[in-house]
Amino acid sequence: MTYSSPTAHAPSRAAPTRTGRGSAVAEAVVDLGAIADNTELIAGATDAAVMAVVKADAFGHGMLPVARTALAHGASWLGVATTAEALALRDAGITAPLLSWLHGPDEDFRPAILADVELSVSSIGQLAGIAECAAELGATATVHLKVDTGLSRSGAAGADWPALVHSARRLEREGLVRVRAVWSHLISADEPGSGRTATQLHRFDDAVALAREAGLDPELRHLANSAAALDEPRTHYELVRPGIGLYGVEPVAGRTFGLRAALTLRARPVLVKRVPAGTGVSYGHDYATATDSNLALVPLGYADGVPRLASGCAEVRIRGRRHPVAGRVAMDQFVVDLGAHTADTQDEVVLIGPEREGGPAVTEWAEWARTLPHEIFTGIGSRVPRRYVDRRGADLPHGEEYLA
Ligand SMILES: *Cc1c(COP(=O)(O)O)cnc(C)c1O
């Protein structure tokens, strides 16, 4: 393994890279042991079943390895946004129950129905489209009716809910759909004790009651994301839907549940050079060296998910020490001011790393870029190879072996 050990000379078997000679100049290393532990921790916090949310390539961590690991460690469901994501999971041989919840207006639901992908429904029009596809196939589509309890994204508005549940009951009688669940999504689960959650719970229970009055018999109710799964037992019902917590980010302000970061983002400097005091760095010369300095050039830029907004405040770790990102982050690269310290091209520049080793944590990047850890993770670009390891750092070449 050549990447992290500068003394090794064996050629790396990692993905082909921009150097063309074996070892990656940048990579995201995903510790599937942390995904396993986090899934177990969340599953242990509830009596409900766990749906691992693996949308957006598992928040940038790699959908298939994360899905397999979560299913082997306490999750029994998978959740994704699009049917394309769901079908990719089925194509990889994953047979667990699977919900997809964001559909195009003219979506062809037939491939999803054939693949036993369960479909969220927010409107009568959507339900009719799904029923039509089921009829063409001679199949029954399994649906989760979504009620908008206040977030005002998807889900049927309160006024439209009675008509939706009656329509669903009619289609159930015709054998075209089966309503397996009623569900919704929280507004402020990350703020403990928020009155909004209480209001949403009331609306949700009322919506379930209306569905039952219409003759539906939903086997599942689900509402909780990571924060609620860890902190709000009254939101759990039969199923919880954690995303960010699986990836090791503590989801509730001011609380620590013991989740462990799974992703390390690192690179090697491609050039280190000495410059005199007062040297302007990167576009626009927003930054100038205060002293004679060593500058390290890092081959990751905003196209790889390093936020340009973090220019001027971000730090990275090299040889155990934090150094500032100097000047503007560019599309493919940025510069680090090492001051009097030095580095060489075999060193490791840690952009996101374990906090016990000195980070930086993804939450720091989120602050530097005035965003959420979710956006930092999902921004890590396709140019950055993902590598999967177990708890001890041993390679899992295809991310498939970590089922123990
Ligand atoms: C993304 C998403 C989740 C996961 O939320 P986290 O806050 O990341 O745990 C759950 N449910 C739905 C509908 C989502 O879109």
Side-chain angles (χ1 to χ4, degrees):
M1 213 284 291
T2 59
Y3 184 87
S4 61
S5 91
T7 51
H9 295 286
S12 165
R13 264 163 280 115
T17 65
R18 282 180 267 168
T19 66
R21 270 191 284 136
S23 58
V25 292
E27 62 178 5
V29 182
V30 177
D31 173 3
L32 293 177
I35 302 283
D37 292 348
N38 296 334
T39 310
E40 284 175 6
L41 190 147
I42 294 169
T46 180
D47 293 331
V50 175
M51 173 188 287
V53 176
V54 295
K55 64 191 179 186
D57 202 24
F59 292 43
H61 289 59
M63 185 167 71
L64 294 176
V66 168
R68 290 192 175 103
T69 302
L71 288 171
H73 290 272
S76 51
W77 280 76
L78 296 172
V80 291
T82 67
T83 54
E85 292 173 314
L87 292 171
L89 288 161
R90 287 286 185 253
D91 286 348
I94 291 176
T95 57
L98 178 47
L99 175 67
S100 135
W101 53 68
L102 195 66
H103 314 305
D106 305 312
E107 184 144 346
D108 177 1
F109 293 103
R110 287 173 302 180
I113 295 169
L114 281 173
D116 208 13
V117 172
E118 305 188 17
L119 299 164
S120 175
V121 171
S122 289
S123 70
I124 287 191
Q126 210 167 46
L127 184 62
I130 290 169
E132 200 178 304
C133 289
E136 278 177 40
L137 295 170
T140 305
T142 304
V143 299
H144 296 216
L145 298 184
K146 186 167 191 188
V147 58
D148 181 3
T149 52
L151 188 59
S152 303
R153 296 195 322 197
S154 59
D160 301 329
W161 182 251
L164 180 63
V165 295
H166 282 104
S167 172
R169 181 62 192 135
R170 226 170 17 251
L171 293 166
E172 242 186 15
R173 285 213 182 86
E174 291 172 34
L176 295 175
V177 305
R178 175 170 69 109
V179 177
R180 189 169 187 192
V182 171
W183 75 298
S184 191
H185 195 42
L186 294 169
I187 305 162
S188 301
D190 54 339
E191 298 164 24
S194 168
R196 292 192 183 120
T197 301
T199 305
Q200 286 189 276
L201 279 164
H202 273 119
R203 290 182 184 157
F204 187 64
D205 290 339
D206 288 349
V208 172
L210 279 172
R212 293 207 166 114
E213 280 165 31
L216 297 172
D217 185 21
E219 156 201 346
L220 303 170
R221 297 163 292 172
H222 53 102
L223 189 56
N225 64 354
S226 299
L230 288 165
D231 204 38
E232 288 272 18
R234 64 198 168 137
T235 64
H236 291 187
Y237 297 97
E238 288 76 42
L239 183 63
V240 297
R241 304 187 309 269
I244 194 70
L246 301 176
Y247 309 103
V249 175
E250 295 288 352
V252 181
R255 304 262 335 248
T256 302
F257 297 93
L259 299 164
R260 207 150 63 75
L263 184 140
T264 296
L265 178 62
R266 58 194 187 181
R268 294 193 321 208
V270 291
L271 182 71
V272 179
K273 65 187 171 194
R274 182 134 190 102
V275 299
T279 299
V281 180
S282 194
Y283 292 124
H285 276 188
D286 290 348
Y287 183 93
T289 54
T291 59
D292 292 359
S293 289
N294 290 314
L295 299 180
L297 181 64
V298 181
L300 288 171
Y302 55 77
D304 306 297
V306 182
R308 190 172 176 279
L309 207 54
S311 306
C313 48
E315 295 172 348
V316 295
R317 182 162 51 88
I318 304 175
R319 294 189 182 178
R321 193 183 290 273
R322 294 283 190 105
H323 296 285
V325 170
R328 294 181 200 165
V329 173
M331 186 182 291
D332 316 299
Q333 50 195 295
F334 65 89
V335 177
V336 179
D337 187 350
L338 300 172
H341 297 278
T342 189
D344 62 45
T345 55
Q346 295 304 308
D347 275 311
E348 170 175 304
V349 181
V350 181
L351 286 85
I352 300 174
E355 282 178 87
R356 69 187 135 74
E357 291 171 19
V362 69
T363 47
E364 289 180 82
W365 281 99
E367 272 176 43
W368 293 329
R370 282 168 263 155
T371 182
L372 297 175
H374 310 55
E375 191 178 349
I376 302 294
F377 281 149
T378 55
I380 299 172
S382 55
R383 242 175 5 186
V384 181
R386 271 62 166 177
R387 187 159 65 80
Y388 298 93
V389 299
D390 69 13
R391 278 190 187 82
R392 286 166 296 280
D395 269 310
L396 301 170
H398 305 291
E400 284 151 13
E401 293 82 349
Y402 202 74
L403 303 176

